[in-house]
Short mmCIF file of all heavy atoms in Angstrom, two decimals:
data_model
loop_
_atom_site.label_atom_id
_atom_site.label_comp_id
_atom_site.label_asym_id
_atom_site.label_seq_id
_atom_site.Cartn_x
_atom_site.Cartn_y
_atom_site.Cartn_z
N ARG A 141 -0.93 9.62 5.16
CA ARG A 141 -1.07 9.95 6.55
C ARG A 141 0.21 10.19 7.22
O ARG A 141 0.44 11.12 7.98
CB ARG A 141 -1.80 8.81 7.23
CG ARG A 141 -1.93 9.00 8.76
CD ARG A 141 -2.28 7.67 9.44
NE ARG A 141 -1.51 6.63 8.96
CZ ARG A 141 -0.19 6.41 9.18
NH1 ARG A 141 0.48 7.19 10.00
NH2 ARG A 141 0.49 5.39 8.71
N ARG A 142 1.26 9.33 6.90
CA ARG A 142 2.57 9.49 7.56
C ARG A 142 3.21 10.80 7.22
O ARG A 142 3.90 11.37 7.96
CB ARG A 142 3.39 8.24 7.26
CG ARG A 142 4.60 8.06 8.14
CD ARG A 142 5.17 6.60 8.00
NE ARG A 142 5.29 6.29 6.58
CZ ARG A 142 4.74 5.21 6.05
NH1 ARG A 142 3.92 4.44 6.77
NH2 ARG A 142 4.92 4.92 4.77
N SER A 143 2.94 11.25 5.97
CA SER A 143 3.61 12.53 5.53
C SER A 143 3.02 13.72 6.32
O SER A 143 3.66 14.77 6.48
CB SER A 143 3.47 12.70 4.05
OG SER A 143 2.09 12.93 3.73
N PHE A 144 1.78 13.60 6.74
CA PHE A 144 1.13 14.65 7.55
C PHE A 144 1.49 14.51 9.05
O PHE A 144 1.77 15.54 9.70
CB PHE A 144 -0.36 14.58 7.38
CG PHE A 144 -0.92 15.20 6.13
CD1 PHE A 144 -0.81 14.61 4.89
CD2 PHE A 144 -1.50 16.44 6.17
CE1 PHE A 144 -1.32 15.17 3.75
CE2 PHE A 144 -1.97 17.13 5.07
CZ PHE A 144 -1.92 16.43 3.83
N THR A 145 1.52 13.36 9.58
CA THR A 145 1.62 13.12 11.04
C THR A 145 3.00 12.82 11.55
O THR A 145 3.30 13.12 12.67
CB THR A 145 0.76 11.93 11.55
OG1 THR A 145 1.30 10.73 10.92
CG2 THR A 145 -0.70 12.10 11.03
N HIS A 146 3.89 12.30 10.64
CA HIS A 146 5.28 11.95 11.03
C HIS A 146 5.23 11.00 12.24
O HIS A 146 6.04 11.20 13.14
CB HIS A 146 6.06 13.21 11.33
CG HIS A 146 6.10 14.18 10.13
ND1 HIS A 146 6.70 13.97 9.04
CD2 HIS A 146 5.45 15.40 10.07
CE1 HIS A 146 6.53 15.01 8.25
NE2 HIS A 146 5.76 15.91 8.84
N ASP A 147 4.28 10.13 12.32
CA ASP A 147 4.18 9.24 13.49
C ASP A 147 4.99 7.92 13.36
O ASP A 147 5.18 7.24 14.27
CB ASP A 147 2.71 8.84 13.74
CG ASP A 147 2.04 8.10 12.52
OD1 ASP A 147 2.72 7.71 11.62
OD2 ASP A 147 0.77 7.91 12.58
N GLY A 148 5.58 7.73 12.17
CA GLY A 148 6.47 6.69 11.95
C GLY A 148 5.78 5.29 11.89
O GLY A 148 6.46 4.20 11.82
N MET A 149 4.44 5.24 11.83
CA MET A 149 3.69 4.05 11.85
C MET A 149 3.42 3.65 10.44
O MET A 149 3.03 4.36 9.57
CB MET A 149 2.40 4.18 12.59
CG MET A 149 2.53 4.47 14.06
SD MET A 149 3.21 3.24 15.07
CE MET A 149 4.86 3.67 15.30
N ASP A 150 3.62 2.27 10.17
CA ASP A 150 3.44 1.77 8.84
C ASP A 150 2.07 1.26 8.54
O ASP A 150 1.73 1.13 7.34
CB ASP A 150 4.46 0.57 8.60
CG ASP A 150 5.88 0.97 8.75
OD1 ASP A 150 6.18 2.00 8.13
OD2 ASP A 150 6.65 0.29 9.45
N ASP A 151 1.22 0.99 9.55
CA ASP A 151 -0.05 0.38 9.27
C ASP A 151 -1.04 0.76 10.34
O ASP A 151 -1.51 -0.04 11.25
CB ASP A 151 0.20 -1.18 9.27
CG ASP A 151 -1.02 -1.95 8.91
OD1 ASP A 151 -2.01 -1.39 8.42
OD2 ASP A 151 -1.19 -3.16 9.22
N THR A 152 -1.46 2.00 10.35
CA THR A 152 -2.43 2.37 11.45
C THR A 152 -3.80 1.86 11.26
O THR A 152 -4.56 1.81 12.17
CB THR A 152 -2.51 3.97 11.51
OG1 THR A 152 -3.08 4.47 10.23
CG2 THR A 152 -1.21 4.61 11.75
N GLY A 153 -4.08 1.23 10.07
CA GLY A 153 -5.35 0.62 9.85
C GLY A 153 -5.39 -0.77 10.46
O GLY A 153 -6.46 -1.43 10.44
N CYS A 154 -4.28 -1.27 11.01
CA CYS A 154 -4.30 -2.63 11.58
C CYS A 154 -5.34 -2.72 12.71
O CYS A 154 -5.27 -1.93 13.79
CB CYS A 154 -2.92 -3.05 12.12
SG CYS A 154 -2.89 -4.69 12.89
N PRO A 155 -6.32 -3.59 12.70
CA PRO A 155 -7.31 -3.68 13.70
C PRO A 155 -6.95 -4.51 14.91
O PRO A 155 -7.66 -5.30 15.39
CB PRO A 155 -8.53 -4.34 12.95
CG PRO A 155 -7.79 -5.30 11.95
CD PRO A 155 -6.51 -4.62 11.63
N LEU A 156 -5.70 -4.21 15.41
CA LEU A 156 -5.25 -4.88 16.64
C LEU A 156 -4.42 -3.89 17.39
O LEU A 156 -3.31 -3.59 16.91
CB LEU A 156 -4.48 -6.13 16.33
CG LEU A 156 -4.37 -7.15 17.54
CD1 LEU A 156 -5.68 -7.82 17.80
CD2 LEU A 156 -3.27 -8.21 17.24
N LYS A 157 -4.88 -3.29 18.47
CA LYS A 157 -4.17 -2.36 19.22
C LYS A 157 -4.43 -2.53 20.74
O LYS A 157 -5.46 -3.07 21.13
CB LYS A 157 -4.64 -0.93 18.83
CG LYS A 157 -4.22 -0.48 17.42
CD LYS A 157 -4.78 0.89 17.06
CE LYS A 157 -4.20 1.41 15.75
NZ LYS A 157 -4.55 0.52 14.63
N VAL A 158 -3.46 -2.02 21.53
CA VAL A 158 -3.60 -1.90 22.97
C VAL A 158 -3.13 -0.54 23.42
O VAL A 158 -2.16 0.02 22.91
CB VAL A 158 -2.76 -2.99 23.74
CG1 VAL A 158 -2.80 -2.70 25.23
CG2 VAL A 158 -3.23 -4.38 23.40
N ILE A 159 -3.92 0.07 24.21
CA ILE A 159 -3.68 1.50 24.60
C ILE A 159 -3.99 1.63 26.06
O ILE A 159 -4.94 1.03 26.65
CB ILE A 159 -4.58 2.49 23.75
CG1 ILE A 159 -4.29 3.96 24.11
CG2 ILE A 159 -6.03 2.16 23.86
CD1 ILE A 159 -4.94 4.91 23.13
N LYS A 160 -3.23 2.47 26.74
CA LYS A 160 -3.57 2.81 28.10
C LYS A 160 -4.74 3.65 28.17
O LYS A 160 -4.90 4.62 27.44
CB LYS A 160 -2.30 3.50 28.79
CG LYS A 160 -1.20 2.58 29.00
CD LYS A 160 0.03 3.30 29.62
CE LYS A 160 1.18 2.21 29.80
NZ LYS A 160 2.40 2.93 30.32
N THR A 161 -5.76 3.19 28.96
CA THR A 161 -7.06 3.78 28.90
C THR A 161 -7.13 5.29 29.18
O THR A 161 -7.91 6.06 28.58
CB THR A 161 -8.05 3.03 29.81
OG1 THR A 161 -7.96 1.55 29.49
CG2 THR A 161 -9.52 3.47 29.64
N ASP A 162 -6.25 5.77 30.07
CA ASP A 162 -6.37 7.15 30.42
C ASP A 162 -5.99 8.01 29.28
O ASP A 162 -6.47 9.09 28.95
CB ASP A 162 -5.51 7.53 31.68
CG ASP A 162 -4.03 7.07 31.47
OD1 ASP A 162 -3.74 6.18 30.66
OD2 ASP A 162 -3.22 7.63 32.25
N TYR A 163 -5.08 7.48 28.36
CA TYR A 163 -4.72 8.15 27.18
C TYR A 163 -5.89 8.06 26.14
O TYR A 163 -6.14 9.04 25.43
CB TYR A 163 -3.50 7.48 26.54
CG TYR A 163 -2.13 8.00 27.13
CD1 TYR A 163 -1.69 7.57 28.35
CD2 TYR A 163 -1.39 9.07 26.57
CE1 TYR A 163 -0.50 7.94 28.92
CE2 TYR A 163 -0.25 9.46 27.09
CZ TYR A 163 0.16 9.00 28.32
OH TYR A 163 1.37 9.42 28.90
N ALA A 164 -6.49 6.85 26.05
CA ALA A 164 -7.59 6.72 25.13
C ALA A 164 -8.71 7.73 25.38
O ALA A 164 -9.30 8.19 24.48
CB ALA A 164 -8.04 5.30 25.18
N LYS A 165 -9.06 7.89 26.67
CA LYS A 165 -10.17 8.67 26.98
C LYS A 165 -9.91 10.20 26.70
O LYS A 165 -10.79 11.01 26.58
CB LYS A 165 -10.53 8.49 28.47
CG LYS A 165 -11.15 7.16 28.74
CD LYS A 165 -11.52 6.99 30.22
CE LYS A 165 -12.14 5.65 30.57
NZ LYS A 165 -13.51 5.51 29.96
N ARG A 166 -8.67 10.52 26.57
CA ARG A 166 -8.33 11.94 26.27
C ARG A 166 -8.23 12.27 24.79
O ARG A 166 -7.97 13.38 24.37
CB ARG A 166 -7.03 12.38 26.92
CG ARG A 166 -7.01 12.36 28.39
CD ARG A 166 -5.85 13.15 28.99
NE ARG A 166 -4.63 12.52 28.72
CZ ARG A 166 -4.02 11.66 29.57
NH1 ARG A 166 -4.52 11.35 30.67
NH2 ARG A 166 -2.76 11.13 29.20
N ILE A 167 -8.46 11.28 23.90
CA ILE A 167 -8.42 11.47 22.46
C ILE A 167 -9.80 12.07 22.02
O ILE A 167 -10.80 11.51 22.24
CB ILE A 167 -8.26 10.17 21.75
CG1 ILE A 167 -6.89 9.52 22.07
CG2 ILE A 167 -8.38 10.35 20.24
CD1 ILE A 167 -6.57 8.17 21.50
N PRO A 168 -9.72 13.29 21.45
CA PRO A 168 -10.96 13.93 20.97
C PRO A 168 -11.37 13.36 19.63
O PRO A 168 -11.06 13.91 18.59
CB PRO A 168 -10.60 15.39 20.90
CG PRO A 168 -9.10 15.31 20.56
CD PRO A 168 -8.60 14.11 21.24
N MET A 169 -12.08 12.28 19.65
CA MET A 169 -12.43 11.58 18.42
C MET A 169 -13.37 12.31 17.50
O MET A 169 -14.30 13.03 17.93
CB MET A 169 -13.01 10.21 18.76
CG MET A 169 -12.05 9.25 19.47
SD MET A 169 -10.84 8.51 18.41
CE MET A 169 -11.80 7.28 17.63
N PHE A 170 -13.09 12.18 16.18
CA PHE A 170 -13.99 12.60 15.19
C PHE A 170 -14.03 11.55 14.13
O PHE A 170 -13.14 10.65 14.07
CB PHE A 170 -13.70 13.99 14.65
CG PHE A 170 -12.30 14.12 13.99
CD1 PHE A 170 -12.05 13.70 12.74
CD2 PHE A 170 -11.22 14.61 14.72
CE1 PHE A 170 -10.76 13.76 12.09
CE2 PHE A 170 -9.93 14.71 14.15
CZ PHE A 170 -9.77 14.28 12.88
N LYS A 171 -14.95 11.65 13.19
CA LYS A 171 -15.07 10.68 12.17
C LYS A 171 -13.78 10.46 11.36
O LYS A 171 -13.26 11.46 10.82
CB LYS A 171 -16.22 10.97 11.24
CG LYS A 171 -16.51 9.87 10.21
CD LYS A 171 -17.77 10.33 9.39
CE LYS A 171 -18.07 9.21 8.30
NZ LYS A 171 -19.20 9.63 7.51
N GLY A 172 -13.24 9.29 11.31
CA GLY A 172 -12.01 9.01 10.54
C GLY A 172 -10.81 9.03 11.49
O GLY A 172 -9.72 8.67 11.03
N LEU A 173 -10.92 9.41 12.70
CA LEU A 173 -9.76 9.54 13.55
C LEU A 173 -9.24 8.24 14.02
O LEU A 173 -8.07 8.16 14.58
CB LEU A 173 -10.03 10.48 14.82
CG LEU A 173 -8.80 11.00 15.52
CD1 LEU A 173 -8.03 11.89 14.52
CD2 LEU A 173 -9.19 11.68 16.74
N HIS A 174 -9.93 7.12 13.81
CA HIS A 174 -9.36 5.83 14.15
C HIS A 174 -8.08 5.56 13.44
O HIS A 174 -7.30 4.73 13.89
CB HIS A 174 -10.37 4.69 13.89
CG HIS A 174 -10.83 4.56 12.44
ND1 HIS A 174 -11.82 5.36 11.90
CD2 HIS A 174 -10.30 3.81 11.45
CE1 HIS A 174 -11.96 4.99 10.62
NE2 HIS A 174 -11.00 4.07 10.37
N ARG A 175 -7.85 6.24 12.31
CA ARG A 175 -6.62 6.05 11.57
C ARG A 175 -5.44 6.85 12.09
O ARG A 175 -4.34 6.70 11.76
CB ARG A 175 -6.80 6.50 10.07
CG ARG A 175 -7.98 5.84 9.38
CD ARG A 175 -8.06 6.43 7.96
NE ARG A 175 -9.17 5.87 7.23
CZ ARG A 175 -10.43 6.51 7.14
NH1 ARG A 175 -10.56 7.62 7.67
NH2 ARG A 175 -11.37 5.89 6.43
N PHE A 176 -5.77 7.73 13.10
CA PHE A 176 -4.79 8.63 13.62
C PHE A 176 -4.42 8.37 15.13
O PHE A 176 -3.92 9.34 15.83
CB PHE A 176 -5.19 10.08 13.45
CG PHE A 176 -5.28 10.51 12.01
CD1 PHE A 176 -6.44 10.22 11.27
CD2 PHE A 176 -4.26 11.18 11.37
CE1 PHE A 176 -6.47 10.58 9.91
CE2 PHE A 176 -4.37 11.53 10.00
CZ PHE A 176 -5.48 11.23 9.28
N LEU A 177 -4.85 7.15 15.69
CA LEU A 177 -4.67 6.97 17.06
C LEU A 177 -3.14 7.14 17.55
O LEU A 177 -2.95 7.76 18.56
CB LEU A 177 -5.20 5.63 17.48
CG LEU A 177 -6.67 5.43 17.33
CD1 LEU A 177 -7.15 4.03 17.78
CD2 LEU A 177 -7.47 6.44 18.12
N PRO A 178 -2.20 6.54 16.79
CA PRO A 178 -0.84 6.86 17.27
C PRO A 178 -0.45 8.25 17.32
O PRO A 178 0.15 8.79 18.23
CB PRO A 178 -0.01 6.05 16.23
CG PRO A 178 -0.92 4.97 15.73
CD PRO A 178 -2.30 5.59 15.67
N ALA A 179 -0.90 9.01 16.24
CA ALA A 179 -0.55 10.40 16.20
C ALA A 179 -1.22 11.23 17.34
O ALA A 179 -0.54 12.16 17.92
CB ALA A 179 -0.97 11.03 14.86
N MET A 180 -2.41 10.79 17.75
CA MET A 180 -3.05 11.48 18.87
C MET A 180 -2.44 11.12 20.18
O MET A 180 -2.42 11.89 21.11
CB MET A 180 -4.53 11.09 18.89
CG MET A 180 -5.33 11.55 17.66
SD MET A 180 -5.17 13.36 17.33
CE MET A 180 -5.87 14.03 18.71
N ILE A 181 -1.78 9.98 20.26
CA ILE A 181 -1.01 9.66 21.53
C ILE A 181 0.25 10.52 21.58
O ILE A 181 0.64 11.01 22.67
CB ILE A 181 -0.64 8.21 21.53
CG1 ILE A 181 -1.91 7.33 21.62
CG2 ILE A 181 0.19 7.85 22.79
CD1 ILE A 181 -2.92 7.61 22.74
#
Side-chain angles (χ1 to χ4, degrees):
R141 174 199 44 75
R142 198 162 48 239
S143 69
F144 278 78
T145 65
H146 306 289
D147 59 13
M149 298 289 102
D150 297 315
D151 184 18
T152 60
C154 178
L156 199 73
K157 290 179 172 61
V158 174
I159 182 172
K160 291 179 178 173
T161 305
D162 57 340
Y163 279 81
K165 289 182 180 293
R166 292 196 297 266
I167 296 174
M169 294 286 281
F170 59 83
K171 186 176 181 180
L173 197 63
H174 62 273
R175 304 179 183 96
F176 294 83
L177 293 181
M180 296 307 297
I181 299 303

